[in-house]
Amino acid sequence: MSSWQRTHTCGDLTHENVGEEVVLNGWIENHRHHGALLFIDVRDRYGITQVVFDEEKKGTPQGLLDRAAKLGQEDVISVRGSVAPRAPDKVNKKRATGAIEVFVTELIILNEAETPPFEVLDDPECGEELRMRYRYLDLRRRPMQHAMIKRSQFVTSVRNYLAENHFVDVETPILTKSTPEGARDYLVPSRVNPGKFYALPQSPQIFKQLMMVAGLDRYYQIARCFRDEDLRADRQPEFTQIDLEMTFVEEDDVLDLVEGMMVRAFKDTFGAELHRPFPRLDYFDAMERYGLDKPDLRFGMEILDVTEQVKDCAFKVFSGTIADGGIVRGLCVEGAGDKYSRKDIEKGLTGYVSEYGARGLAWAKVGDDGLAGSISKFFEGDAGTALCEAMGAKSGDLMLFVADRKTVVLRALGELRNKLGTDLGLREHGEFKFAWVLNFPMFDYNEDRGTWDSSHHPFTAPVDWDLEDYSKDPGSIRSRAYDLVMNGWELGSGSVRIHRSDVQERVFNFLGITQEEQRAKFGFLLDAFQYGAPPHGGIALGLDRLITLAIGADSIRDVIAFPKTTSATDLMCDAPGDVAPEQLADLHILTQKSKSSS
Amino acid sequence: MSSWQRTHTCGDLTHENVGEEVVLNGWIENHRHHGALLFIDVRDRYGITQVVFDEEKKGTPQGLLDRAAKLGQEDVISVRGSVAPRAPDKVNKKRATGAIEVFVTELIILNEAETPPFEVLDDPECGEELRMRYRYLDLRRRPMQHAMIKRSQFVTSVRNYLAENHFVDVETPILTKSTPEGARDYLVPSRVNPGKFYALPQSPQIFKQLMMVAGLDRYYQIARCFRDEDLRADRQPEFTQIDLEMTFVEEDDVLDLVEGMMVRAFKDTFGAELHRPFPRLDYFDAMERYGLDKPDLRFGMEILDVTEQVKDCAFKVFSGTIADGGIVRGLCVEGAGDKYSRKDIEKGLTGYVSEYGARGLAWAKVGDDGLAGSISKFFEGDAGTALCEAMGAKSGDLMLFVADRKTVVLRALGELRNKLGTDLGLREHGEFKFAWVLNFPMFDYNEDRGTWDSSHHPFTAPVDWDLEDYSKDPGSIRSRAYDLVMNGWELGSGSVRIHRSDVQERVFNFLGITQEEQRAKFGFLLDAFQYGAPPHGGIALGLDRLITLAIGADSIRDVIAFPKTTSATDLMCDAPGDVAPEQLADLHILTQKSKSSS
């Protein structure tokens, strides 16, 4: 080991090392000069250690303090010295190394640093653009290092769990063919095959199904996927999935496996104890109770049905809606009677639900002597008591109601429930509440195009394998798709897949995919199903969002080392960039620009 | 668990399960009808189990045998039955399940199979094109499943070793900017930024160096890399590297770490015991002894210098070459005197070395009474004895010599040594001999362009940090690059990197990269080096080749689930493929074809 190389990291030294000669390497975190004494905090990924230059009492050679005094933040140094205990009143309990300091006898400057473009460790003024441009400095911040390390630990734990459960980690191609997720593909022109293009995969879906046909039995991959979509804040052009597939399974096999994986990875990475089994909600049940297919189960406040109680009431909004085939449902907000004023409700909350299509929000506060609020005069005496009973409301509670078509009511109350959860602090930070939502509808009606689309993807099996005709009431057909939900977010989707070519063709036909398209796009999958395809199913979980939620980061950009901006650019590398005309000629392509200027 | 789902895999059942009722799921491997008995071998990834239909004695329900008799190879079935011991003379010792069989009481056909386009498990006639087109069937073959499983186990072991050694697994971008490896990039047109292109990475080199600048200390990734080159048999357009980088290190730190990783992964995956430390050879020493920078150390037969012994001999080819500044070196092929005839040597071996530029191959067989062969008459008596002594040759050995310029001699003898190793069976299969080659030259002379190139890449540090002028004898400057070699193959390259911007610019300048190019291509790296870059180094190992060699596969295509052909196409998916004109319009590009036809 060369003389400059560390014997310990900056997070290692404790009382046990007192008296040892050590070498530390790291960055100067800060630097305090007190007359004949100079203190430097040396930082690396593992911690911070205080080193002291003291020429008078502690053997720092003459002149070294002056050299050290000229150093600045983020300079990279090697210091040799002896470990000494700190005086009891100087112990820094916030630091693993806070009980000691190192008296320096040798200093080697490994590299000097210019003044960085922003305060590396804490610059509240620093905008995200600057952080992205100098990502290598941004990544020095402790929250970013924490995010990278936790992400890595999480993935390591997931991998070990899957390996122990006989999964084979297989890499699928990045240079491939359009996949059927329906988003826009990134394309790669082929040099060897002029005029032809590879597509970057939106998922390894077809490959993983083919591996089941191949008999690999259990596959997983931490898979990079690509979608050329206009980016929202929580999307990236390339993203990562925990992708897995299993043979000879039904839903419960996949769900049990994934639960085990989450329990293990949350325990290993965050020390969190998750409880199994996760609640398993039928899709329609989830919609009825929470108004959304990704319920936040950190709090209750379920949507309640009061149609029976209000169908004959004098309040025409209620009784009229029901007479017209609509429904009335409500939320009982426990103890919130005095937390929301009339104005809060009639402006704030009513405005909020109107964004989701509700034409109004009826309300009543429950007092000791009856109801108060917009609908109280219609529910006096027994009618009020019956309503409160149906809502499980007691004195001090706030009841909120929406009357409309069912889809509007559920959506509006589901979103309102989430808002109230946030407003009232019901969503506890650091708590992880998982749930499964099962048996999604097989098809969704696409109002723009007047057609039926796959809700999940066209490889999802129907609950009833033998249903021949999907055109009779397609909206009622259930699929074997399931979503994993955590704290109100969807973490991923999966399904039992179709493994029979007759069923696969029937689905393609119903979706209006012509025979020619079926052959051109999925011919090899349909062929594969002819040669002994086993029943199989799987799931894909979004790793970026999962880690973002688990560590409480603001954005998925905070859990990706080198993310793109919302305009899909890498500000550090300046990608995408210009390329030479010869490169385009090699690829047999022209840009529109080069064409118009030629 | 549904009634059709397996209770055990086809590799599980032993004597211990006798009497149990079990369900197996799998593919029909084969099918033998003996009158009132029907035997089926059911296969899955884990093994094969024989199941028996016996209506007379073992309770197979009436009619089931007839149904089962109609099944064919590769049909997917579920069978329920009871485990019974086989008669001692019927035990199949080659199978884990060979001691038992299952008497079937229930049969469910999960999927039927058409006759496959080739014999799935063993079709010697089947060409690689057919295998690639039906890769999902090809992957059913046991050697392919073995390759996928071993690859996965190897990677899992590597990951765990690195995690235990504080490495952080970080994903770097696939959509990025041209990297400096010098091969042709795959490009991806940007929709959002018209006329601009992403490049797929040839390696994560710059990102990993920036992570060291960021203080992540130890990074690794099983990284997908891309090169758009004309493919040789052992190349793929996308390939996988074990990529790692470490901070505050010198060569030995990286070498020690990688040795530990190999020892662990070879033990975990193949049960092989590797010996540490691996031999560490200086580049020039390796060249002198083995003629190549990737020596196969499974056998000795080093190149020996006889210049001293032959410089004054009467054989003008030797003495004249030395007088002209050349050298004479030889191989002593132990006990091979009677294995090669004059014709074998003067046609076969001489022809072989001529492919590497040698103008001839001098030879002598050592007998009890002196030498025989092309040069024997020049080396009679003491001269012959002296020559044999220098070569360590004894009776029965064959000596082979090349006289020429040093580069020609070393190359020719190095290649000849490898050929002899193969011919004589000296390369033991299943033996893994690793070595390090250190201190490669910093620059290689490019004869075509008359310029000096980086031998490794331009981020490699010179041995002498402070050397100011690279133009004086550039060929003698040594770098801090190292290669890991196994059994005569290079598995990967690494180096201690440049972390000082002055040295980096000096190297760029010497390589003829203009200031403008430096800014445009590597500006962010040069910037990063200004803000506190620590000393660092790392390595990248080619995973595909490593696994190919370790399992003794014929081609890297046998260790990649879905490889491309040598014309960079995926015959199964038919990628690259055609795309719609609207897709190109979205990307602001035209194909040459679409231009000429418009």
Side-chain angles (χ1 to χ4, degrees):
Chain A
M1 192 169 287
S2 320
S3 65
W4 64 267
Q5 283 191 276
R6 64 188 173 197
T7 56
H8 296 78
T9 74
C10 296
D12 280 344
L13 299 173
T14 65
H15 240 293
E16 310 229 318
N17 305 94
V18 164
E20 291 178 24
E21 187 185 71
V22 298
V23 180
L24 300 178
N25 298 163
W27 287 260
I28 294 183
E29 170 113 357
N30 67 55
H31 188 270
R32 299 177 306 283
H33 202 158
H34 298 302
L37 280 177
L38 176 71
F39 298 92
I40 289 181
D41 281 344
V42 187
R43 180 193 78 230
D44 65 15
R45 183 185 118 197
Y46 309 95
I48 297 171
T49 304
Q50 174 166 289
V51 305
V52 187
F53 295 76
D54 182 344
E55 292 182 353
E56 287 179 10
K57 297 192 194 149
K58 298 289 182 177
T60 299
Q62 207 65 29
L64 206 54
L65 192 147
D66 285 345
R67 269 182 68 213
K70 289 181 191 126
L71 293 170
Q73 272 195 352
E74 303 304 319
D75 284 343
V76 189
I77 60 173
S78 167
V79 287
R80 181 184 294 269
S82 59
V83 182
R86 295 202 203 182
D89 62 318
K90 303 280 186 187
V91 167
N92 181 342
K93 292 196 172 156
K94 289 187 198 155
R95 270 187 205 166
T97 65
I100 58 88
E101 54 197 355
V102 173
F103 285 94
V104 178
T105 55
E106 236 179 282
L107 165 71
I108 296 172
I109 300 167
L110 297 173
N111 215 346
E112 291 179 41
E114 303 280 325
T115 305
F118 55 91
E119 278 288 333
V120 168
L121 296 181
D122 185 24
D123 186 344
E125 305 288 295
C126 178
E128 196 177 14
E129 186 179 326
L130 208 58
R131 288 177 48 199
M132 290 295 159
R133 195 173 294 282
Y134 296 92
R135 187 63 163 180
Y136 47 86
L137 297 179
D138 190 36
L139 285 170
R140 283 188 193 161
R141 295 191 303 120
R142 275 179 209 100
M144 290 305 303
Q145 301 224 334
H146 177 75
M148 295 300 121
I149 291 166
K150 286 292 159 191
R151 180 179 176 134
S152 175
Q153 287 174 350
F154 190 91
V155 167
T156 300
S157 177
V158 163
R159 290 182 182 281
N160 281 324
Y161 174 83
L162 292 173
E164 288 159 21
N165 282 280
H166 308 294
F167 281 76
V168 188
D169 176 7
V170 183
E171 297 179 69
T172 54
I174 299 289
L175 292 170
T176 183
K177 190 172 176 169
S178 280
T179 45
E181 276 72 10
R184 207 182 281 108
D185 286 318
Y186 281 103
L187 297 181
V188 182
S190 167
R191 178 178 58 84
V192 181
N193 302 276
K196 305 246 180 191
F197 291 80
Y198 303 96
L200 305 184
Q202 295 183 37
S203 85
Q205 182 65 33
I206 291 185
F207 290 110
K208 70 178 176 173
Q209 292 193 242
L210 291 175
M211 283 190 268
M212 299 303 101
V213 176
L216 280 171
D217 204 71
R218 294 183 159 205
Y219 142 90
Y220 91 93
Q221 186 181 194
I222 309 297
R224 204 75 65 85
C225 306
F226 303 85
R227 292 186 189 186
D228 185 10
E229 294 193 305
D230 294 314
L231 303 182
R232 301 196 306 253
D234 65 339
R235 288 277 178 94
Q236 285 278 308
E238 52 184 304
F239 55 97
T240 303
Q241 281 180 188
I242 302 171
D243 191 52
L244 63 90
E245 197 78 8
M246 305 164 72
T247 300
F248 301 123
V249 293
E250 306 269 28
E251 285 85 341
D252 281 349
D253 302 288
V254 181
L255 273 46
D256 289 345
L257 185 284
V258 173
E259 288 182 6
M261 178 172 89
M262 288 292 152
V263 167
R264 164 81 167 271
F266 270 77
K267 172 85 177 155
D268 286 353
T269 315
F270 306 111
E273 300 282 355
L274 305 184
H275 298 290
R276 289 183 69 174
F278 301 163
R280 297 179 185 190
L281 306 172
D282 179 88
Y283 169 82
F284 285 113
D285 186 38
M287 294 300 286
E288 295 274 332
R289 290 164 62 190
Y290 304 101
L292 301 168
D293 59 8
K294 36 180 196 274
D296 189 339
L297 299 189
R298 284 176 295 180
F299 60 102
M301 206 198 293
E302 296 187 14
I303 296 171
L304 298 169
D305 189 354
V306 293
T307 305
E308 203 49 45
Q309 286 72 30
V310 305
K311 67 177 193 288
D312 301 317
C313 74
F315 182 44
K316 287 299 160 208
V317 173
F318 284 2
S319 51
T321 298
I322 293 166
D324 291 346
I327 62 168
V328 181
R329 303 228 172 143
L331 297 172
C332 175
V333 197
E334 219 181 310
D338 54 6
K339 292 189 180 150
Y340 290 91
S341 68
R342 169 180 295 267
K343 190 177 152 199
D344 291 338
I345 299 166
E346 299 196 344
K347 297 248 156 143
L349 301 183
T350 306
Y352 190 78
V353 295
S354 74
E355 289 173 37
Y356 300 99
R359 283 162 299 177
L361 183 70
W363 62 279
K365 293 179 176 179
V366 186
D368 290 336
D369 311 319
L371 303 181
S374 75
I375 61 166
S376 58
K377 65 174 175 250
F378 305 107
F379 294 92
E380 292 177 338
D382 286 351
T385 308
L387 187 62
C388 288
E389 211 161 277
M391 295 289 288
K394 55 185 194 313
S395 182
D397 293 351
L398 169 65
M399 299 190 291
L400 299 164
F401 303 94
V402 175
D404 212 310
R405 282 185 297 133
K406 188 167 177 178
T407 51
V408 173
V409 171
L410 294 179
R411 177 83 197 279
L413 288 175
E415 298 286 355
L416 180 61
R417 175 178 174 276
N418 275 346
K419 177 183 166 54
L420 294 166
T422 306
D423 289 357
L424 298 167
L426 305 178
R427 302 165 181 257
E428 197 164 328
H429 191 76
E431 190 184 5
F432 305 112
K433 283 281 193 181
F434 284 85
W436 292 102
V437 180
L438 296 163
N439 295 340
F440 274 73
M442 183 91 178
F443 305 107
D444 280 337
Y445 190 65
N446 183 322
E447 309 225 346
D448 296 340
R449 293 188 301 162
T451 56
W452 290 91
D453 296 340
S454 288
S455 303
H456 185 202
H457 55 51
F459 312 114
T460 303
V463 168
D464 178 1
W465 287 102
D466 296 319
L467 185 69
E468 298 261 345
D469 183 359
Y470 298 138
S471 65
K472 291 188 216 151
D473 194 9
S476 73
I477 300 172
R478 302 288 212 105
S479 77
R480 301 183 63 175
Y482 34 81
D483 275 5
L484 180 61
V485 171
M486 183 181 84
N487 292 359
W489 291 83
E490 182 218 308
L491 294 183
S493 296
S495 58
V496 170
R497 323 297 184 184
I498 296 168
H499 65 283
R500 281 167 43 180
S501 53
D502 60 332
V503 177
Q504 188 65 71
E505 286 184 51
R506 206 181 294 153
V507 169
F508 283 150
N509 290 341
F510 178 73
L511 293 171
I513 304 175
T514 65
Q515 296 286 337
E516 292 68 39
E517 273 180 279
Q518 292 178 32
R519 281 307 319 163
K521 286 191 177 169
F522 311 119
F524 57 108
L525 184 70
L526 293 171
D527 286 348
F529 286 170
Q530 308 271 11
Y531 296 120
H536 60 285
I539 197 166
L541 302 172
L543 180 65
D544 307 299
R545 181 184 280 170
L546 197 161
I547 301 294
T548 306
L549 294 172
I551 67 171
D554 291 334
S555 154
I556 61 168
R557 291 189 297 282
D558 289 339
V559 303
I560 295 173
F562 299 98
K564 308 273 189 302
T565 66
T566 47
S567 59
T569 59
D570 179 334
L571 295 175
M572 183 184 74
C573 297
D574 193 23
D578 295 319
V579 297
E582 310 82 64
Q583 288 180 278
L584 300 185
D586 274 354
L587 300 174
H588 322 284
I589 61 168
L590 298 165
T591 61
Q592 296 277 18
K593 211 168 56 182
S594 57
K595 185 207 166 198
S596 56
S597 69
S598 69
Chain B
M1 193 168 289
S2 320
S3 64
W4 64 267
Q5 283 191 276
R6 64 187 172 198
T7 56
H8 296 78
T9 73
C10 296
D12 280 344
L13 299 173
T14 65
H15 240 295
E16 311 229 320
N17 304 95
V18 165
E20 291 179 25
E21 185 186 72
V22 299
V23 179
L24 300 178
N25 297 163
W27 287 260
I28 295 183
E29 170 114 356
N30 68 54
H31 189 271
R32 299 176 308 283
H33 203 156
H34 299 302
L37 281 177
L38 176 72
F39 297 93
I40 290 181
D41 281 344
V42 186
R43 180 192 77 231
D44 65 14
R45 184 184 116 199
Y46 309 96
I48 298 171
T49 304
Q50 173 167 290
V51 306
V52 186
F53 294 75
D54 182 345
E55 292 182 354
E56 287 177 12
K57 298 192 193 147
K58 299 290 182 176
T60 300
Q62 206 62 33
L64 206 56
L65 191 148
D66 286 345
R67 269 182 68 213
K70 291 183 190 123
L71 292 171
Q73 272 196 353
E74 302 304 319
D75 283 342
V76 188
I77 60 173
S78 167
V79 287
R80 180 184 296 267
S82 60
V83 181
R86 295 203 203 182
D89 62 318
K90 304 279 186 186
V91 167
N92 180 342
K93 292 197 171 153
K94 290 188 197 151
R95 270 188 203 164
T97 64
I100 58 89
E101 53 197 355
V102 174
F103 285 95
V104 178
T105 56
E106 236 180 282
L107 164 70
I108 296 171
I109 300 167
L110 296 173
N111 216 345
E112 290 179 42
E114 302 280 325
T115 305
F118 54 91
E119 277 290 332
V120 168
L121 295 181
D122 185 24
D123 185 345
E125 305 289 293
C126 179
E128 197 177 14
E129 187 179 326
L130 207 59
R131 289 177 48 198
M132 290 296 159
R133 197 173 293 282
Y134 296 93
R135 187 64 162 178
Y136 46 88
L137 297 180
D138 190 37
L139 285 170
R140 283 188 194 161
R141 294 191 305 119
R142 277 180 207 99
M144 290 305 304
Q145 301 223 335
H146 177 76
M148 295 302 120
I149 291 166
K150 287 292 158 191
R151 180 179 177 134
S152 174
Q153 287 175 351
F154 190 91
V155 167
T156 300
S157 177
V158 163
R159 291 181 182 281
N160 281 324
Y161 174 84
L162 292 173
E164 288 159 20
N165 282 281
H166 308 294
F167 282 76
V168 188
D169 176 7
V170 183
E171 297 177 69
T172 54
I174 299 288
L175 293 170
T176 183
K177 191 172 177 169
S178 279
T179 45
E181 276 73 10
R184 207 181 282 107
D185 286 318
Y186 280 103
L187 297 180
V188 182
S190 167
R191 178 178 57 85
V192 182
N193 303 276
K196 307 244 179 191
F197 291 80
Y198 303 97
L200 305 185
Q202 295 183 36
S203 85
Q205 182 64 32
I206 292 185
F207 290 111
K208 71 177 176 175
Q209 292 193 241
L210 291 174
M211 283 190 268
M212 298 304 100
V213 175
L216 280 171
D217 204 70
R218 295 182 158 205
Y219 141 90
Y220 90 94
Q221 187 181 192
I222 309 296
R224 202 75 64 87
C225 306
F226 304 84
R227 292 187 189 184
D228 185 10
E229 294 193 304
D230 294 314
L231 303 184
R232 300 196 308 252
D234 65 338
R235 288 279 179 91
Q236 284 279 307
E238 52 183 304
F239 55 97
T240 303
Q241 283 181 187
I242 302 171
D243 191 53
L244 61 89
E245 197 78 7
M246 304 164 73
T247 300
F248 300 125
V249 293
E250 306 268 29
E251 285 85 340
D252 281 348
D253 302 288
V254 181
L255 272 45
D256 290 345
L257 186 285
V258 173
E259 288 183 4
M261 179 171 90
M262 287 293 153
V263 167
R264 165 80 166 271
F266 271 76
K267 172 88 177 151
D268 287 353
T269 314
F270 305 111
E273 300 283 352
L274 305 184
H275 299 289
R276 292 183 65 176
F278 301 162
R280 297 179 185 190
L281 306 172
D282 179 87
Y283 169 81
F284 285 114
D285 186 36
M287 294 300 286
E288 296 274 333
R289 291 165 62 189
Y290 304 100
L292 301 168
D293 59 7
K294 36 181 196 275
D296 189 338
L297 300 189
R298 283 176 296 180
F299 60 101
M301 207 198 293
E302 296 187 15
I303 295 171
L304 297 170
D305 191 355
V306 292
T307 304
E308 204 50 46
Q309 285 72 29
V310 306
K311 69 176 193 290
D312 301 318
C313 74
F315 183 44
K316 287 298 159 211
V317 174
F318 284 1
S319 51
T321 298
I322 293 167
D324 291 346
I327 62 169
V328 181
R329 304 230 169 140
L331 298 172
C332 175
V333 197
E334 219 181 310
D338 55 6
K339 292 188 182 152
Y340 290 90
S341 69
R342 172 181 291 270
K343 189 176 151 201
D344 291 339
I345 298 168
E346 298 195 346
K347 296 248 157 142
L349 300 184
T350 306
Y352 190 77
V353 295
S354 75
E355 288 173 38
Y356 301 99
R359 283 163 299 175
L361 183 69
W363 63 280
K365 292 178 177 180
V366 186
D368 290 336
D369 311 319
L371 302 181
S374 75
I375 60 167
S376 57
K377 62 174 180 248
F378 306 106
F379 293 94
E380 291 177 340
D382 287 352
T385 307
L387 186 62
C388 288
E389 211 162 275
M391 295 291 287
K394 56 185 191 316
S395 181
D397 293 352
L398 168 66
M399 299 191 292
L400 300 165
F401 301 95
V402 174
D404 212 311
R405 281 186 298 134
K406 186 169 181 178
T407 51
V408 172
V409 171
L410 294 179
R411 179 82 196 280
L413 288 175
E415 298 287 353
L416 179 61
R417 175 179 174 276
N418 275 346
K419 178 185 165 49
L420 294 167
T422 305
D423 288 356
L424 298 168
L426 306 178
R427 303 164 180 258
E428 196 164 330
H429 190 76
E431 192 185 5
F432 303 112
K433 284 280 193 180
F434 284 85
W436 292 102
V437 179
L438 297 163
N439 295 340
F440 275 72
M442 183 90 177
F443 304 107
D444 280 336
Y445 190 65
N446 182 324
E447 308 225 347
D448 296 339
R449 292 188 301 162
T451 55
W452 290 91
D453 295 339
S454 290
S455 302
H456 184 201
H457 55 51
F459 311 115
T460 303
V463 168
D464 178 2
W465 286 103
D466 295 319
L467 185 68
E468 298 260 345
D469 184 358
Y470 297 137
S471 65
K472 292 190 214 146
D473 194 10
S476 74
I477 300 171
R478 302 285 214 108
S479 76
R480 300 183 64 177
Y482 34 82
D483 274 6
L484 179 61
V485 171
M486 183 181 85
N487 292 359
W489 291 83
E490 182 218 308
L491 294 184
S493 297
S495 58
V496 170
R497 323 296 185 185
I498 297 168
H499 65 283
R500 280 167 44 182
S501 54
D502 61 332
V503 177
Q504 188 65 70
E505 286 183 51
R506 208 181 293 152
V507 169
F508 283 149
N509 290 341
F510 177 72
L511 294 171
I513 304 174
T514 65
Q515 297 285 336
E516 293 68 38
E517 273 180 279
Q518 291 177 33
R519 282 308 316 164
K521 285 191 178 168
F522 311 118
F524 59 106
L525 184 71
L526 293 171
D527 287 347
F529 285 170
Q530 308 272 11
Y531 297 120
H536 61 285
I539 198 166
L541 302 172
L543 180 65
D544 307 297
R545 182 184 281 170
L546 197 161
I547 301 294
T548 306
L549 294 173
I551 67 171
D554 291 333
S555 152
I556 61 168
R557 290 189 297 282
D558 290 337
V559 303
I560 296 173
F562 300 99
K564 306 274 190 300
T565 66
T566 47
S567 59
T569 59
D570 179 332
L571 294 175
M572 182 185 74
C573 296
D574 193 23
D578 296 318
V579 298
E582 309 82 64
Q583 288 180 280
L584 300 184
D586 275 353
L587 299 174
H588 323 284
I589 61 169
L590 298 165
T591 61
Q592 296 277 19
K593 211 169 52 179
S594 58
K595 184 207 168 201
S596 55
S597 68
S598 70

